[in-house]
Amino acid sequence: MRLLLLIVAISMALAGCNRGDANAKAAPAPATLLIAPEDTVTLKPGSTSSGPLITGTIEPDRKADLRAEVSAVVLGVMKENGQAVKKGDLLVRLDDTSIRDGLISAQEAERVAVQAAEQAERQFQRLKTLRESGMASAQMMEDAEIRRNTTQSDLSAAKARVVSARQQLQRTEARAPFDGIVSDRKVSAGDTAQVGKELLKVIDPRSLRFEGLVSSDALSTVKAGQSVSFGVNGWGNQQFTGKIRLVAPTANATTRQVEVLVDINGDVPARMAGLYAEGRIEASSTTALMVPASTIVRDGERAFAWRVKGATLQKVPLALGERDLRSGDYIVKSGVAQGDQLLRHPVATLKDGQAIAATTSAGAPAAASASASSPIVR
């Protein structure tokens, strides 16, 4: 019985091996891959820049920090963060009750001083006439002149107090110094604002600049007018460009870094203010063979690409150099040559030596043969 079971088991194992060999022999070869012109890129030399790293923040070139100039209670804040303002718009109103009372008192004192000065002037003119006719003494004339001068001085002081009171009244209203947006509101209605307290900040979003720092070791290669390419946190892989406006003459005593001001090319969103930025100064430019990032396939630390050679695909290893920050392309040191055609966005199902065929469009023909060829992901 045991012998019979052993014979059956061996027979089943041999049958399974035979089926596996048959399936292996029946595995089809990779189907022909249809490639449209837009699926490949022809390699050619490109310009790449190199230079020191620059890091910093995006800051407005034109900004105003509005602070309380009088001690008073905040009655109202008319604008919220992010709202646009025009020059002269009322932004914050402070309680002006006591200051307005002071203005009324100063105006009343000015009225009294005007009357006193006018009366002293009339008295002086009368004594002057009497003196000419010999009916007033020199002492009387001198006393009248002193009273006239005194009242005129009192009138000037009273007018100055009125002007000062009006200025204090104007300081209870914080107005926009230029067209822009509110970037940082610091107070709310009911707060007590002491002299010097921050009320809010206004920035001009059209004046954003890159305030960066570079190592003092690279100072000899940095100068005004050089181009800068940089990215901003929150904006993904989008790259921005600008030109150096100013290089600080001295380095920071603690960090040994030098401040560099960069004017940004074109319009940038106001929301970018205050965000961290990092880039590279284009201190020098060279020409090298560049490989687009879309053609590169990475396997750990190794990199390779799929080259179109005749009617087949070739898997070629690449030795890559630095990445150009402007275009995102990589310098290729070896593996491919100028004029080679590389496959864009290759997929994992491709095989080395796989047959290819050209098609005029990547649309209908490729879709129709999707079951017979590996798709190219775009």
Side-chain angles (χ1 to χ4, degrees), residues 280-349:
R280 193 170 294 276
I281 298 173
E282 299 177 11
S284 61
S285 180
T286 57
T287 300
L289 189 63
M290 309 295 292
V291 174
S294 61
T295 65
I296 299 173
V297 179
R298 296 189 179 273
D299 182 9
E301 296 182 355
R302 297 180 301 170
F304 60 89
W306 292 94
R307 178 170 58 191
V308 176
K309 191 69 172 179
T312 60
L313 279 179
Q314 291 182 344
K315 185 178 181 180
V316 292
L318 301 176
L320 300 177
E322 294 183 356
R323 187 177 190 180
D324 185 67
L325 294 177
R326 296 173 303 175
S327 63
D329 297 344
Y330 288 86
I331 297 176
V332 60
K333 298 179 180 179
S334 64
V336 290
Q338 181 178 347
D340 283 352
Q341 285 189 319
L342 299 184
L343 197 63
R344 296 180 187 266
H345 307 291
V347 295
T349 56

Side-chain angles (χ1 to χ4, degrees), residues 242-276:
K243 286 189 178 296
I244 296 178
R245 180 205 304 179
L246 178 67
V247 180
T250 58
N252 184 283
T254 304
T255 63
R256 297 300 177 186
Q257 291 181 309
V258 180
E259 184 179 14
V260 176
L261 300 183
V262 179
D263 291 324
I264 304 175
N265 297 332
D267 296 331
V268 293
R271 298 171 301 175
M272 197 180 290
L275 296 182
Y276 175 80

Side-chain angles (χ1 to χ4, degrees), residues 25-326:
K25 294 177 181 179
T32 300
L33 180 69
L34 298 180
I35 296 180
E38 58 266 30
D39 293 328
T40 61
V41 57
T42 302
L43 298 186
K44 57 184 179 179
S47 176
T48 179
S49 60
S50 61
L53 185 70
I54 179 172
T55 59
T57 55
I58 306 299
E59 297 291 344
D61 193 12
R62 194 180 185 195
K63 56 186 175 181
D65 188 358
L66 303 184
R67 297 175 179 267
E69 298 182 73
V70 296
S71 296
V73 175
V74 178
L75 293 182
V77 181
M78 312 324 184
K79 297 291 183 179
E80 298 291 340
N81 287 341
Q83 286 188 311
V85 297
K86 295 290 185 180
K87 182 178 180 180
D89 284 354
L90 179 63
L91 304 181
V92 180
R93 186 190 297 278
L94 304 179
D95 186 8
D96 62 357
T97 303
S98 61
I99 297 175
R100 191 174 295 278
D101 290 343
L103 175 60
I104 294 173
S105 176
Q107 289 173 332
E108 183 62 21
E110 180 188 24
R111 186 183 65 81
V112 173
V114 168
Q115 292 177 347
E118 290 176 349
Q119 184 179 6
E121 180 66 25
R122 289 193 299 268
Q123 182 68 15
F124 175 76
Q125 295 298 332
R126 282 195 299 268
L127 288 175
K128 184 177 180 181
T129 301
L130 293 174
R131 177 63 180 164
E132 290 175 353
S133 61
M135 298 178 65
S137 65
Q139 184 62 46
M140 295 173 62
M141 183 69 181
E142 185 177 348
D143 291 344
E145 186 175 5
I146 291 174
R147 284 194 300 272
R148 184 192 68 167
N149 293 341
T150 300
T151 56
Q152 287 179 346
S153 296
D154 292 343
L155 177 58
S156 297
K159 289 181 177 180
R161 286 192 291 272
V162 171
V163 172
S164 178
R166 284 201 180 102
Q167 289 177 343
Q168 289 292 93
L169 187 63
Q170 291 175 351
R171 289 168 181 165
T172 61
E173 295 180 346
R175 296 183 177 273
F178 48 77
D179 295 351
I181 62 172
V182 176
S183 66
D184 192 6
R185 170 182 166 173
K186 296 287 188 178
V187 294
S188 300
D191 291 348
T192 299
Q194 301 297 332
V195 175
K197 179 179 177 61
E198 289 183 324
L199 300 177
L200 48 74
K201 294 181 180 180
V202 178
I203 66 171
D204 183 356
R206 298 168 299 178
S207 67
L208 293 182
R209 67 185 182 184
F210 181 15
E211 297 182 3
L213 296 171
V214 297
S215 173
S216 58
D217 297 337
L219 187 58
S220 59
T221 63
V222 179
K223 59 184 178 180
Q226 288 178 329
S227 297
V228 178
S229 299
F230 60 94
V232 180
N233 269 15
W235 259 257
N237 295 327
Q238 185 176 355
Q239 289 292 307
F240 300 89
T241 60
K243 286 189 178 296
I244 296 178
R245 180 205 304 179
L246 178 67
V247 180
T250 58
N252 184 283
T254 304
T255 63
R256 297 300 177 186
Q257 291 181 309
V258 180
E259 184 179 14
V260 176
L261 300 183
V262 179
D263 291 324
I264 304 175
N265 297 332
D267 296 331
V268 293
R271 298 171 301 175
M272 197 180 290
L275 296 182
Y276 175 80
E278 181 177 354
R280 193 170 294 276
I281 298 173
E282 299 177 11
S284 61
S285 180
T286 57
T287 300
L289 189 63
M290 309 295 292
V291 174
S294 61
T295 65
I296 299 173
V297 179
R298 296 189 179 273
D299 182 9
E301 296 182 355
R302 297 180 301 170
F304 60 89
W306 292 94
R307 178 170 58 191
V308 176
K309 191 69 172 179
T312 60
L313 279 179
Q314 291 182 344
K315 185 178 181 180
V316 292
L318 301 176
L320 300 177
E322 294 183 356
R323 187 177 190 180
D324 185 67
L325 294 177
R326 296 173 303 175

